[in-house]
């Protein structure tokens, strides 16, 4: 499975961005998808996940501001980010794995040995 992110950029505080993650390859119905980020001199932070049943899970830091969704027909994962803050500046990466619920996936998405596939990332800068 290959994952390619797009949609990053620079935005002022309070603004919005929508990130996209195009998935290709063999994707099965039990896949779970998600987003995480890593800012300068910060640890990786799980943000949001979406599992095969349509359930979602969010980190407290983005709950109510970020929304994860997926167009299954096009195999594109989205992250709508509203009310952005300077502390949201980071490299954002999408990820995919299998057989996990959204809640469980939120706890493992930042560990490469526990989550199947990661994208290369897209940069978001909020000023």
């Amino acid at each position: 499975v290959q994952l390619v992110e797009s949609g990053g950029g620079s935005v002022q505080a309070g603004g919005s961005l929508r990130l996209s993650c195009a998935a290709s390859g063999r994707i099965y119905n039990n896949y779970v998808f998600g987003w995480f980020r890593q800012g300068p001199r910060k640890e990786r932070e799980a943000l949001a996940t979406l599992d095969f049943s349509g359930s979602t899970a969010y980190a407290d830091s983005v709950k109510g501001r970020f929304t994860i969704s997926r167009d299954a027909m096009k195999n594109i994962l989205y992250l709508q980010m509203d009310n952005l803050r300077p502390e949201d500046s980071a490299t954002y990466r999408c990820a995919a794995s299998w057989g996990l619920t959204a809640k469980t996936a939120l706890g493992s998405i930042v560990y490469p040995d526990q989550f199947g596939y990661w994208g290369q990332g897209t940069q978001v800068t909020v000023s």
Side-chain angles (χ1 to χ4, degrees), residues 63-82:
K63 198 174 294 184
R65 299 190 299 126
F66 291 11
T67 304
I68 188 172
S69 62
R70 179 171 175 249
D71 185 329
M73 293 296 293
K74 296 180 180 179
N75 274 333
I76 300 177
L77 181 73
Y78 299 102
L79 186 68
Q80 176 67 39
M81 306 187 295
D82 298 317

Side-chain angles (χ1 to χ4, degrees), residues 37-43 86-91 123-125:
R37 68 187 177 191
Q38 187 165 18
R41 299 175 297 280
K42 294 183 179 180
E43 293 185 353
E87 55 264 38
D88 293 319
S89 298
T91 297
Q123 181 66 37
V124 171
T125 302

